[in-house]
Amino acid sequence: MKKAFIQLHIAVFLAGFTGILGKLITLNEGLLVWYRLMISAFSLWILFFFQRKNIKIAFSDVIKIFGIGAIAALHWVSFYGSIKYANVSIALVCFSAVGFFTAFLEPLIFRVKIDLIELLLGLMTIAGIYFIFHFDPTYKTGIVVGLISALLGSLFPILNKAVLKKVSPESVTLYELSGGFIFLSLLLPFYLKLFPTNYIFPNLSDWMWLLILSWACTVLAFNLSMKALQKISAFTVNLSYNLEPVYGILLAFAVLGENKYLNKGFYIGLSFIIFAIVAQMIRLWSKRKKSA
């Protein structure tokens, strides 16, 4: 059990590190995600081939998962776009709004009653983002793009719920990455026309960070999460991933020194968001304990 928790938190830490890598890679957000998807998808196909995993699924499920993968790709593009227009800390703070959007979208999609407490905690996150925006409007574009990323980031896990009832997590991840890569490959010529860039091919430094992003923060993190799931519940895994923005912001402070460029509004807003995350984790943990 202890080993499983270590594996899980390494996976969460790696997920938090993706923001740092997005800042270090000089490619624009569209190309960055395209290379990430290409490397990750092909690596998983090779990995599963040698592991002889059964990844055959119905064609109708492939189409559904490809669609979810397209949403995931757009989420990543907007997430890294937020980093490019603002910084890692702002992008991760906006990512915390996932809870707010989920509180609205999940009941609408599954036609269930809205959880008022989840909605209030989500509104607290939005209040935190407002404080940051109110005190420092220079990050306006990054915050808007970051909120679009959070909206998309809340949508594809909700859609995954129905798919995971029929398809294994390994197959879902593989086909989502592949679908996202195919979708972005079709979209990229138009994207680059709207957002031209001088750098299409990664330099040596970019390749190094892209391989770390794809192999460590995507493929390795995925495998560690799957191994942890063999010993601990999916609930605990999902709950632990709420720490991703916190890890990411601390890393941005330590590695990039972003705390030097942030004013008191950021810290007021961040305190709102951390309180909402901790309150939701305690609430869900208590609810889980009672039901058990």
Side-chain angles (χ1 to χ4, degrees):
M1 186 69 75
K2 185 178 177 181
K3 184 180 178 181
F5 275 106
I6 292 171
Q7 290 171 330
L8 172 60
H9 282 283
I10 290 173
V12 176
F13 178 82
L14 289 171
F17 199 64
T18 59
I20 302 289
L21 294 173
K23 194 73 173 179
L24 293 173
I25 297 168
T26 59
L27 298 168
N28 80 1
E29 60 280 357
L31 286 165
L32 187 159
V33 176
W34 185 80
Y35 280 106
R36 178 186 186 179
L37 286 168
M38 178 185 70
I39 297 167
S40 301
F42 278 102
S43 297
L44 276 179
W45 277 105
I46 294 167
L47 180 67
F48 288 171
F49 174 78
F50 284 107
Q51 289 180 347
R52 303 188 178 215
K53 284 190 178 289
N54 182 15
I55 53 173
K56 291 181 181 178
I57 60 174
F59 181 72
S60 58
D61 290 328
V62 171
I63 298 301
K64 288 177 186 174
I65 296 170
F66 270 25
I68 298 170
I71 295 171
L74 291 174
H75 157 66
W76 275 343
V77 170
S78 50
F79 174 71
Y80 288 113
S82 180
I83 290 173
K84 302 291 183 182
Y85 285 112
N87 58 40
V88 177
S89 302
I90 294 294
L92 285 166
V93 162
C94 291
F95 180 75
S96 302
V98 163
F100 171 73
F101 290 118
T102 302
F104 267 115
L105 292 175
E106 192 168 20
L108 286 174
I109 292 171
F110 293 109
R111 297 181 181 180
V112 295
K113 189 178 178 181
I114 291 176
D115 188 320
L116 291 177
I117 296 178
E118 282 187 5
L119 186 59
L120 287 171
L121 290 173
L123 284 170
M124 187 173 288
T125 301
I126 296 298
I129 294 169
Y130 169 77
F131 266 103
I132 294 167
F133 175 74
H134 179 70
F135 279 94
D136 197 342
T138 55
Y139 295 124
K140 179 181 176 181
T141 303
I143 288 172
V144 171
V145 176
L147 288 173
I148 293 170
S149 171
L151 174 62
L152 294 167
S154 69
L155 189 58
F156 76 85
I158 294 170
L159 298 175
N160 269 340
K161 277 190 175 182
V163 175
L164 285 167
K165 291 176 182 177
K166 297 192 294 180
V167 183
S168 69
E170 293 95 337
S171 297
V172 169
T173 302
L174 176 65
Y175 286 106
E176 276 186 10
L177 289 173
S178 302
F181 171 68
I182 293 169
F183 169 77
L184 203 54
S185 297
L186 297 172
L187 183 67
L188 202 57
F190 304 99
Y191 189 89
L192 292 177
K193 192 173 182 179
L194 286 171
F195 304 99
T197 177
N198 295 324
Y199 304 100
I200 294 178
F201 300 103
N203 58 34
L204 187 61
S205 174
D206 286 338
W207 273 118
M208 180 182 71
W209 298 129
L210 279 166
L211 290 173
I212 293 172
L213 177 64
S214 303
W215 287 343
C217 300
T218 308
V219 177
L220 177 59
F222 161 74
N223 278 326
L224 288 171
S225 294
M226 289 300 107
K227 286 178 181 178
L229 273 170
Q230 293 174 347
K231 299 289 184 181
I232 56 182
S233 69
F235 169 82
T236 305
V237 172
N238 291 334
L239 199 62
S240 299
Y241 267 93
N242 284 326
L243 294 170
E244 179 186 338
V246 179
Y247 285 165
I249 290 168
L250 292 174
L251 283 167
F253 286 2
V255 178
L256 301 175
E258 286 190 357
N259 53 306
K260 297 175 185 176
Y261 311 107
L262 300 169
N263 59 26
K264 65 177 182 179
F266 176 85
Y267 295 102
I268 294 171
L270 181 61
S271 65
F272 272 66
I273 292 162
I274 291 175
F275 178 83
I277 291 171
V278 172
Q280 176 67 346
M281 289 179 73
I282 293 170
R283 178 174 171 264
L284 291 175
W285 188 268
S286 300
K287 189 187 290 185
R288 180 77 172 187
K289 198 172 180 180
K290 285 178 183 178
S291 63

